[in-house]
Amino acid sequence: MLALCVMGILLLRPVRAAGGGPHQQAAGAKAGSINNEDCAVCHEEVVKAFDRNVHAVLEKGKDFQKKNSCESCHGPGEAHASNDGDKSKIIGFVDPAQARKYNEQCLSCHQNNAPMEGFRGALHGKSGLACVDCHGVHKSERLTHLLKKPETALCMECHVQTRSEFSKPYHHKVKEGAVRCSDCHQPHSGFERHQMRASLSGDEACNPVSSTDKGAVRV
């Protein structure tokens, strides 16, 4: 009877949607895990490009060495791969209603970085903005923080009124490239008005107002 049970389990194990053999689970991986090689069966171009991505340190860095680094963000992938690529069985980062869930995946690694510590309580975090709305996680341009577009163009896609204000005769030269939005604003955290950057004394980067002069006009 024991032999028949074991044989039945082996026969019923899921196989690759592409028609290959059973998934090979990485050593020490969670149940339902697959290797990056399994992901490459359908997502070959993404996996190849990922080798030039800063997140490739999950595989190549001596402190990580994860064979299933795709799952570090997307979660266990066996159910997704074994069900003809069913997108409901993987964390796909495409549903705006799931923004907070997606952000938790990013923050599981990045929340200990100083700029990201207050993201959940800051305006962008509370408004349901997803990290992937601004960052192309699979991109290879490391020096641009994986932004999907140049910073100014990206910010002004949402901040339409501000974009028009920078067309007035007198304005900070943001569109001209002399100043960046993030020179004055902290996009990932900050509890100041409009997430303004603040000094250790509490003064905002561009428009400091003392505690005794709250009625001052800001320009």
Side-chain angles (χ1 to χ4, degrees), residues 18 31 38 106 113 159 187:
D38 294 295
C106 301
N113 297 355
H159 299 282

Side-chain angles (χ1 to χ4, degrees), residues 194-215:
H194 302 311
Q195 293 189 203
M196 296 288 291
R197 290 188 180 275
S199 67
L200 293 176
S201 63
D203 290 336
E204 293 181 1
C206 301
N207 299 303
V209 175
S210 69
S211 58
T212 58
D213 192 18
K214 295 297 184 182

Side-chain angles (χ1 to χ4, degrees), residues 16-21 23 34-48 70 81:
R16 277 188 203 150
H23 291 295
I34 56 177
N35 289 329
N36 293 351
E37 289 81 1
D38 294 295
C39 301
V41 171
C42 295
H43 305 285
E44 182 179 4
E45 294 304 317
V46 174
V47 172
K48 284 183 178 179
C70 298

Side-chain angles (χ1 to χ4, degrees), residues 17 42-43 74 76-92 94:
C42 295
H43 305 285
H74 293 282
E78 186 177 41
H80 166 72
S82 300
N83 288 275
D84 296 323
D86 186 342
K87 295 181 180 180
S88 68
K89 298 185 181 300
I90 196 89
I91 301 174
V94 294

Side-chain angles (χ1 to χ4, degrees), residues 12 38 60 92 98 104 108 130 142 168 180-181 203 206 214:
L12 291 172
D38 294 295
K60 301 175 181 178
Q98 299 291 320
E104 289 303 316
S108 64
R142 301 185 181 200
K168 294 179 179 179
R180 299 179 303 171
C181 303
D203 290 336
C206 301
K214 295 297 184 182

